[in-house]
Amino acid sequence: MRSKVITWSVLAVLVLGVVPLFVSDTFVLRILTEAIMWIGLAITFDVLAGYTGYLNFGHGAFFGIGAYTTAIMMVRANWPFTTALLAAALVTAICALVAGIPTLRLRGAYFAIATWALSLAIQQLALILTITGGPDGMRLPPFLDPVYFFYLMLGVVSATFFLLWYLLERAPFGLKLKAIREDELGAQSLGLNPTRLKIQAFVLSAIPTGILGGIYAYWITFIDPASTLSDLVSDQALVMVVFGGMGTLIGPVIGALLIFSFKTIFWAYLSNFQLLYLIILGAVIALSVVFLPNGLWGTIRNRKNRRGGPKKNQESLSRDAEADKKSETKSALAAELKACTQKDGVK
Amino acid sequence: MMATPLLELKSVTKTFGGLTANNQVSFKVQPGEIVGLIGPNGAGKTTLFNVISGYYAPSHGQILFKGKDISGKPPYELAALGIGRTFQVVKPFPGLSVLENVLIASFLRYPKRAQAEEHAWHILEITGLADRAEVSAAGLTLAGRKRLEIGKALALEPSFLLLDEVVAGLNPTEVDLTIELILKVRDQGVTILIVEHIMRVIMQICDRLAVLNYGEKIAEGTPAEISSNPAVIKAYLGETAA
């Protein structure tokens, strides 16, 4: 099944690659470019959420940091786009490293809250600084070539996908992250250093996100704190990943495509019912959490190789049984020792 | 007896606020031995395990492993040094298969996936889990999960193994199989420190015993010496029985 995924992915990239040869409609290209970008944001979100078990609400902040670094380098320092984009990758990596060291010591909801607060802080920072243009945002030198951005986005996102697929599904790294997700304390006794692995995952997830932010900034030519640094980016990525299936890489791709198409169709044809979009989205998420806890792809895959089974129930049942047996053992202890002392006497 | 003990505890004390879980515990484990750590409930056995395996830093005292001070080192460093452990409340990675569980531990000595997989299969053969390799770890029986727990620790190729109640809760046949496994591991040169409540097991496999009560070591010696030690009998059965 694994090699099938690669075959299908390569095929999908090739098909997408010839699209601009036949489609000259700027609107269609633009929609496709944005869809690909969301796939990128969803799969990078999955590195932490699905594989490592940490919900990072600062994901959008990495996107914004990448966008702002690119914009600042191009506008204030007159750097060319490619160099500015490299700077964006570097700055995002450093930010992830600095932010990860304290926050990744936290677990569960505390990590989510800390990263959320951190992303709000960065948004506020962008609002008050002059170098970022404050609330007015920044205008980048316009470069209006939809085909260029389509290929750039496709190239970066597919490279990210194949890299993550290799690291998370083929190399030991993915299994190590999963071990941390399943039981962080237990993983330590097997020689895994959770803090180091989590920081590696954090940086791995942040770098492509920052690059995507940089491409987005140059592509859209205007950024402000509301568009690139709000929690919307993290929230949407979360929804796509949960709906598609966490910890599978394929699930987030499917989730991103479905949610993004839904959003686009709604905005294009039913723009009078904006409110309805959020209500429907909310309902879809609530329903998928209840009925498809493993997401679309996770559910399909489990049905295929029926390995998942009724995990939770079995687990808690046998845990009870274990507890019962333990109390039995302990009450029988004294009697047993007595028997031993009589039997063995002086050996 | 021998030159350097594999493990040496020098008056190890662990306190939690005002509670003293281990008080000035000292003992030695020689290479190749199976040492049992026994004591009534709440005696501080599991706490001592957590201190030795790096989950807690000792409040006072020193832990020497192969003559080197390891007090306060994190569990993953100790794993690299050759200390493997199991948990009383077993810690499988429930969402992963049995093979993947062991594979994760195998990466410590075999960083390349192909070698790690070969090693993991070898461990599954030894622990009798090979036929359930592809099953989710959550789907194993208690006996299976206790074996998996041992398997994961063995996959680290430890020179010293800490076993925390790996027999408790198993039926007599499973107990015998586990005893067999432990002895086999010892014969391959692994030194073992074991906490166990089932005295039949302790008496059968241990070369020496250390007894804890209220966090303090009250006795140390061969199983025969311990079973006739008045202080131990008193600790287990109370004043009148002694």
Side-chain angles (χ1 to χ4, degrees), chain B residues 33-110:
Chain B
E33 272 189 314
I34 298 184
V35 175
L37 188 62
I38 62 170
N41 290 326
K45 303 180 295 289
T46 295
T47 303
L48 193 61
F49 256 42
N50 284 335
V51 172
I52 297 172
S53 60
Y55 280 88
Y56 301 143
S59 312
H60 300 287
Q62 251 190 341
I63 304 160
L64 302 179
F65 181 67
K66 295 178 180 168
K68 273 182 228 147
D69 188 2
I70 56 160
S71 342
K73 284 199 175 175
Y76 45 87
E77 279 183 29
L78 299 183
L81 287 176
I83 300 182
R85 74 161 292 181
T86 69
F87 290 88
Q88 180 183 357
V89 178
V90 288
K91 289 186 176 295
F93 304 123
L96 305 178
S97 73
V98 170
L99 175 66
E100 286 173 324
N101 264 269
V102 178
L103 194 53
I104 287 163
S106 305
F107 288 138
L108 179 67
R109 303 286 176 222
Y110 304 91

Side-chain angles (χ1 to χ4, degrees), chain A residues 250-287:
Chain A
I250 306 295
V253 173
I254 297 169
L257 281 175
L258 290 179
I259 302 267
F260 181 75
S261 318
F262 173 63
K263 180 179 143 186
T264 310
I265 291 166
F266 224 96
W267 283 19
Y269 302 107
L270 299 163
S271 52
N272 293 334
F273 306 97
Q274 279 306 318
L275 197 65
L276 206 58
Y277 163 72
L278 286 176
I279 292 172
I280 294 175
L281 194 67
V284 167
I285 297 319
L287 288 173

Side-chain angles (χ1 to χ4, degrees), chain A residues 164-184:
Chain A
L164 292 183
W165 180 263
Y166 172 74
L167 285 176
L168 300 175
E169 293 290 333
R170 287 297 171 98
F173 186 62
L175 266 183
K176 289 181 182 174
L177 291 188
K178 284 180 184 169
I180 286 170
R181 177 190 73 194
E182 298 288 317
D183 193 327
E184 204 164 324

Side-chain angles (χ1 to χ4, degrees), chain A residues 2 169-172 175-176 178-179 181-183 185-194 307 311 314-315 318 322 325-326 329-330 333-334 336-338 340-341 344 347, chain B residues 41 55 75-76 79 85 87-88 91 93-96 100 103-105 107-108 111 113 134 136 138-139 142 145-146 152 156 165 169 197-200 203 224 227 236-237:
Chain A
R2 282 177 167 175
E169 293 290 333
R170 287 297 171 98
L175 266 183
K176 289 181 182 174
K178 284 180 184 169
R181 177 190 73 194
E182 298 288 317
D183 193 327
L185 279 176
Q188 288 194 33
S189 72
L190 303 184
L192 304 185
N193 178 347
R307 188 214 272 169
K311 255 181 224 165
Q314 245 175 36
E315 198 185 339
S318 43
E322 192 179 350
K325 280 183 183 167
K326 201 169 283 160
T329 335
K330 280 169 188 171
L333 221 156
E336 228 182 345
L337 184 82
K338 203 175 180 183
C340 282
T341 48
D344 293 17
K347 238 181 197 169
Chain B
N41 290 326
Y55 280 88
Y76 45 87
R85 74 161 292 181
F87 290 88
Q88 180 183 357
K91 289 186 176 295
F93 304 123
L96 305 178
E100 286 173 324
L103 194 53
I104 287 163
F107 288 138
L108 179 67
R113 184 154 187 143
E134 303 297 334
S136 153
L142 176 66
R145 274 187 274 162
K146 295 228 162 181
K152 279 156 79 177
L156 303 169
E165 295 203 20
H197 273 307
I198 301 178
M199 288 304 149
R200 170 165 85 87
M203 295 293 164
S227 58
Y236 269 96
L237 303 176

